[in-house]
Amino acid sequence: MMDKDIERRFVFAADLAREAGRCASRYFRDRSLAVTMKGQNDPVTTADLEADQLIAKRIAEQFPEDRILSEESGGDPANRLWIVDPIDGTQNFARGIARYAVSIAFYWNGTVMLGAIYDPMADELFTARRGGGAFLNGSPIRASEISEPKSALVEAGYSLKRPLADYHALVGRLLEAGYNVRQVGSAALGLAEVACGRIDGYCELHLASWDVAAGLVLVEEAGGRTSDFFTGNGLTDGNFLIAAAPALQMHLHEVAERERYPAELPCPIRS
Ligand code: IPD
């Protein structure tokens, strides 16, 4: 794939994230919003489904040879793959909490090449292209320079896919190490905030690729570090994740890694 092909997709992804965000937002705090549960604490709304259909339609129009892996409509691994979460933070959205985002990434030959995360409530568009930097509304962003856990704010996302005791232990160790810890319901926005230095790290015992693909390239292009999410079957089955400001990466890794599951998987830090 040529540079111009990636560039075309980069521009397209940014526009599409905005368009899908506006589509979803029409339903925000709509009392007649239809919410169904896919599982425990795992809602899906009319807004997720409409935004998902819009994204699929636009990709099919512009790049008919590409494939899609989406939280709402599924998909299979492919060489040219769009990884899509039409609304990350659906639980917030469904409860009228203004913290959710559209996340769109393009994955080629085993690498996330670009990502776009749009927060419609703040009108913030985070974009990154591999080797081309990370941006917020077009201005360059960098991960924070914080190196002391006692000055750091990190998010520890909660996944129902891992035992509650492991999450308790993880949060306990982070607090004991001095980190300020929060959990606010959108991994995509958490990673975007690591990329622009608003928070210093994000970890979660299990996430799906659509939650994190765009955020990973954002953090890496902003000078942050991430664990090797796509190792093993990360693309299809999800994985453990740590993303951090560069000077915190080793410490956060040491503290969080003890909760990794399954323990035998390697979790190298990418630079
Ligand atoms: C969820 C959010 C949440 C994270 C969960 C994800 P969804 O995604 O990113 O912050 O903790 O693990 O499933 O369901 O809102 O797209």
Side-chain angles (χ1 to χ4, degrees):
M1 188 171 259
M2 313 275 285
D3 215 43
K4 68 174 175 29
D5 299 317
I6 299 293
E7 180 61 25
R8 205 177 132 224
R9 285 167 174 79
F10 179 58
V11 173
F12 167 82
D15 290 344
L16 183 55
R18 273 190 196 280
E19 187 185 3
R22 283 195 293 266
C23 166
S25 297
R26 291 201 317 266
Y27 291 95
F28 185 61
R29 292 186 182 152
D30 176 344
R31 285 175 182 274
S32 61
L33 178 71
V35 181
T36 49
M37 299 305 281
K38 293 185 284 183
Q40 185 189 342
N41 284 327
D42 191 9
V44 60
T45 72
T46 311
D48 294 77
L49 301 176
E50 274 200 20
D52 192 55
Q53 280 166 14
L54 171 75
I55 292 167
K57 179 168 177 277
R58 294 282 183 264
I59 292 172
E61 284 164 0
Q62 291 297 316
F63 303 105
E65 68 280 23
D66 295 357
R67 294 289 165 262
I68 301 173
L69 176 65
S70 155
E71 173 168 19
E72 304 310 341
S73 42
D76 294 310
N79 196 32
R80 298 171 174 209
L81 188 67
W82 292 91
I83 305 178
V84 172
D85 194 344
I87 300 182
D88 184 75
T90 301
Q91 206 157 40
N92 286 340
F93 183 92
R95 305 296 294 259
I97 298 168
R99 184 175 174 81
Y100 62 92
V102 177
S103 177
I104 299 176
F106 181 67
Y107 179 88
W108 175 56
N109 268 347
T111 304
V112 182
M113 300 305 293
L114 59 91
I117 294 175
Y118 182 57
D119 173 351
M121 294 290 102
D123 189 24
E124 288 189 329
L125 178 67
F126 296 87
T127 53
R129 188 186 152 175
R130 177 118 3 239
F135 303 87
L136 166 52
N137 288 345
S139 299
I141 51 175
R142 298 297 295 167
S144 89
E145 290 177 6
I146 289 214
S147 58
E148 277 298 311
K150 290 189 171 131
S151 310
L153 172 61
V154 299
E155 179 158 355
Y158 173 54
S159 168
L160 284 159
K161 294 208 166 63
R162 293 291 177 258
L164 183 56
D166 290 354
Y167 183 69
H168 279 160
L170 170 65
V171 172
R173 277 204 312 279
L174 288 168
L175 291 170
E176 276 163 21
Y179 290 98
N180 190 348
V181 183
R182 68 173 204 181
Q183 208 287 89
V184 281
S186 167
L189 285 180
L191 292 172
E193 288 170 336
V194 173
C196 69
R198 289 181 191 157
I199 64 172
D200 309 298
Y202 187 98
C203 51
E204 189 160 333
L205 297 172
H206 184 275
L207 280 159
S209 56
W210 45 75
D211 298 316
V212 302
L216 289 174
V217 64
L218 264 163
V219 171
E220 290 163 14
E221 286 299 314
R225 306 286 187 267
T226 65
S227 52
D228 198 356
F229 182 86
F230 289 100
T231 193
N233 296 328
L235 177 65
T236 50
D237 298 352
N239 211 340
F240 172 86
L241 173 76
I242 299 176
L248 270 183
Q249 58 150 330
M250 287 317 297
H251 189 263
L252 189 58
H253 193 238
E254 278 167 26
V255 173
E257 194 202 22
R258 276 172 273 156
E259 284 308 315
R260 272 179 45 219
Y261 180 91
E264 66 275 12
L265 274 182
C267 189
I269 292 284
R270 294 165 61 99
S271 56

